[in-house]
Amino acid sequence: MKSSMIRWMMFAGCAAFLAATPEGSAAASTTAQPSKTSPAASAHVLRVCADPGYLPYSNRAGEGFENKIAELVARAMGRKLEYTWASYRAHGGFSNFLALNLDAHKCDVIMNLPTGDNEELATKPYYRSSYVFVTRKDKHLHIRSMRSVSMHSVRIGFEAETTPETAVKILGLIRNAVVFHVAGNPAASPRELLQAVQDGKVGVMVTWEPAIGAFMKDYPDLQLRRVPSEEYGPGLPAVHYSYAMSMGVRKGDTALRAELDKVIATHKAEIAATLAKFNVGLLPNPRHYNYSNG
């Protein structure tokens, strides 16, 4: 999966988590300085690498859904939550973020790794979501798939280097397209994608639902519809728009992964409730998991 795609799904997801109020809970540690604890001495600390300014995923104030999931996980494990802050969107992208932080032992967990990604060791998924079409209600576009007739008569917005871009090119829609670069710009917010639809800069935005769900309450004139899987030509594989997201640990750290898997399995309802507060659209997780190798 391309690094821009991974950055966009952070959180990516639920790329990596958990719920509590800011006061009197693990949230109090969200402003903690990067941990100096060595990996061998961190049995009572959950050290998480997170982006300091990428809502709705995470920020220093602990306001993102990945912050809330991390709080929930730390509390369930009986550990103190500590952060190492680093941008997913800095030079080198998400792969560089992993190399400089998780692989460098500055932390032990990330909250946003696509399930099955082979860069690190993924837990079982804790949520699965999808891309959506965002349109204005008053335009009555009735867009239900990338093949909808209306897609040929409106300007189409999408994030660079993501699944929708591939479909737009295959279907010959690129002349109608407007490319956005939110996932590669630390100063940008996913809110800009909704604003582009609101202002009429694009007629439809095809975007990752967890990135914009929390902001939809501020845009009552907009509506969402999930993008279905489709085949775009003879002999071409089906293009899927839903992805499962896991937490990630370093390759070889199977003990920590097992602990996280236990929390995911025993706190499903709390995790789902936390994600729902951020309007993260959820799909059923697959019954079988393709673990990345460790």
Side-chain angles (χ1 to χ4, degrees):
M1 190 175 297
K2 296 177 181 178
S3 62
S4 179
M5 177 62 176
I6 296 174
R7 288 200 307 272
W8 192 235
M9 289 168 44
M10 289 312 101
F11 76 165
C14 211
F17 308 90
L18 305 148
T21 56
E23 289 85 22
S25 71
S29 66
T30 58
T31 56
Q33 296 298 312
S35 173
K36 302 297 183 181
T37 310
S38 67
S42 61
H44 301 295
V45 175
L46 184 68
R47 304 189 308 154
V48 173
C49 281
D51 195 303
Y54 197 4
L55 291 178
Y57 303 110
S58 63
N59 69 1
R60 288 182 184 272
E63 297 171 320
F65 69 80
E66 290 178 1
N67 293 120
K68 301 307 180 184
I69 297 297
E71 293 164 18
L72 188 160
V73 170
R75 188 169 63 249
M77 295 173 71
R79 297 191 183 196
K80 177 184 176 182
L81 175 62
E82 293 185 359
Y83 283 111
T84 292
W85 300 111
S87 175
Y88 303 146
R89 301 184 284 179
H91 179 72
F94 192 64
S95 294
N96 203 44
F97 165 84
L98 294 174
L100 295 178
N101 295 284
L102 183 62
D103 293 338
H105 291 260
K106 292 181 180 178
C107 64
D108 303 308
V109 182
I110 57 170
M111 303 306 291
N112 49 13
L113 192 70
T115 305
D117 182 87
N118 61 10
E119 288 194 79
E120 306 294 348
L121 196 60
T123 65
K124 293 180 180 179
Y126 70 101
Y127 77 93
R128 178 170 163 253
S129 195
S130 71
Y131 278 85
V132 290
F133 298 115
V134 183
T135 59
R136 285 186 62 106
K137 295 175 183 177
D138 59 4
K139 298 300 182 181
H140 307 292
L141 292 174
H142 305 296
I143 294 174
R144 291 176 169 81
S145 80
M146 294 294 292
R147 287 182 174 274
S148 291
V149 173
S150 296
M151 295 293 278
H152 291 271
S153 59
V154 298
R155 293 182 70 78
I156 304 164
F158 59 84
E159 176 70 19
E161 298 183 36
T162 58
T163 304
E165 179 176 18
T166 300
V168 164
K169 290 177 178 178
I170 291 174
L171 295 171
L173 298 170
I174 195 67
R175 288 175 296 177
N176 299 349
V178 180
V179 184
F180 290 77
H181 300 275
V182 173
N185 180 2
S189 166
R191 187 186 292 272
E192 297 175 17
L193 305 179
L194 298 180
Q195 194 64 48
V197 182
Q198 181 71 34
D199 294 344
K201 294 180 180 178
V202 298
V204 58
M205 183 66 68
V206 193
T207 187
W208 178 236
E209 186 171 7
I212 50 85
F215 303 132
M216 282 295 292
K217 65 182 184 299
D218 300 323
Y219 294 88
D221 296 332
L222 304 186
Q223 62 187 357
L224 305 180
R225 181 183 288 272
R226 287 195 174 122
V227 184
S229 299
E230 296 182 284
E231 295 180 4
Y232 294 132
L236 295 177
V239 177
H240 299 287
Y241 293 90
S242 63
Y243 296 90
M245 300 302 293
S246 296
M247 304 172 204
V249 300
R250 280 182 296 280
K251 286 190 173 182
D253 199 349
T254 55
L256 179 55
R257 181 176 71 175
E259 290 186 70
L260 294 171
D261 278 343
K262 183 177 180 180
V263 172
I264 292 169
T266 57
H267 291 74
K268 289 181 180 179
E270 291 173 79
I271 291 173
T274 299
L275 295 171
K277 291 179 181 178
F278 289 82
N279 203 23
V280 175
L282 300 178
L283 296 171
N285 276 320
R287 293 187 177 184
H288 301 287
Y289 307 102
N290 179 22
Y291 267 153
S292 55
N293 293 324

